[in-house]
Amino acid sequence: MTSPSETAVDAAAARARLLELIKELAVVRGKVILSSGAEADYYIDLRRITLHHEASKLVGQVMLALADDAGIDFECAGGLTMGADPVGTAVMRAAADAGRAVDAFVVRKAQKSYGMGRQVEGPSVEGRKVLVLEDTSTTGGSALAAVEGVRKAGGNVVAVAVIVDRDTGAKEKIEAETGVPYLFAFSKDELGLS
């Protein structure tokens, strides 16, 4: 059995290695237009991390530890397709490795007009504690859309968590509009982007 101190060391090591990989693989310097329409001098391409053979497992471990450290109890994890899809799956796998049952889900941008007509796909979130995830957030729009979709499906959103916070006001907007905590694993300053 793993002791709490071993778990803390493992989480710290996972966090340190994930930070290295984000700096190495995901930070792209140069002028880019963000999904918000704003221009930036860099882009954080976290799909290069969430879909990476080594980094994906670390994402799950780091995000699970982030929620645990904040005292967030949840049964389901996911968010708006497509940025959140691999993050939710990584958290689900990390929880399973820790002997915990956490389901992943996907929120479509719009409710399907065919089949089951669902907006939230995967195991039902109805009546369950839900952690809404995103890889990164600039305006908070994707996370807010995910929260709305989960709430319409009957889920109890307990927090929003992102891998990287760009420090562009998403935290304040999401907390004000949803009434739940906004957590992030890394700040842009930690990535050398201040």
Side-chain angles (χ1 to χ4, degrees):
M1 186 167 157
T2 307
S3 74
S5 63
E6 287 174 319
T7 302
V9 169
D10 290 347
R15 189 179 190 290
R17 178 62 181 146
L18 182 57
L19 181 58
E20 287 176 11
L21 288 169
I22 291 171
K23 287 178 178 179
E24 178 185 328
L25 301 173
V27 176
V28 180
R29 299 195 186 267
K31 295 277 185 209
V32 292
I33 303 298
L34 304 173
S35 63
S36 64
E39 186 176 290
D41 293 329
Y42 61 89
Y43 184 70
I44 305 168
D45 187 355
L46 286 169
R47 287 179 191 89
R48 293 180 181 188
I49 294 301
T50 60
L51 298 170
H52 184 268
H53 66 278
E54 178 187 0
S56 174
K57 182 174 183 173
L58 299 171
V59 165
Q61 293 167 343
V62 167
M63 298 305 284
L64 186 62
L66 176 69
D68 288 350
D69 290 348
I72 304 298
D73 179 39
F74 64 99
E75 302 164 90
C76 306
L80 194 67
T81 198
M82 140 157 191
D85 298 352
V87 185
T89 303
V91 170
M92 177 181 66
R93 294 302 319 143
D97 289 347
R100 295 164 55 183
V102 170
D103 289 327
F105 64 88
V106 174
V107 179
R108 293 176 176 274
K109 292 183 173 140
Q111 188 170 344
K112 283 175 38 176
S113 61
Y114 56 91
M116 300 288 291
R118 296 173 64 180
Q119 184 177 8
V120 179
E121 299 288 355
S124 176
V125 297
E126 186 174 359
R128 300 174 78 193
K129 296 177 195 165
V130 175
L131 176 64
V132 168
L133 300 168
E134 187 57 69
D135 53 9
T136 188
S137 192
T138 303
T139 64
S142 293
L144 290 170
V147 168
E148 180 182 350
V150 167
R151 286 180 171 165
K152 282 182 183 174
N156 174 24
V157 177
V158 294
V160 171
V162 302
I163 300 169
V164 174
D165 179 57
R166 295 178 55 92
D167 192 24
T168 54
K171 176 182 181 7
E172 295 76 13
K173 182 176 183 178
I174 289 168
E175 288 183 342
E177 293 188 24
T178 65
V180 300
Y182 172 97
L183 313 171
F184 57 91
F186 303 100
S187 68
K188 73 175 191 171
D189 293 347
E190 291 176 275
L191 302 182
L193 300 170
S194 51

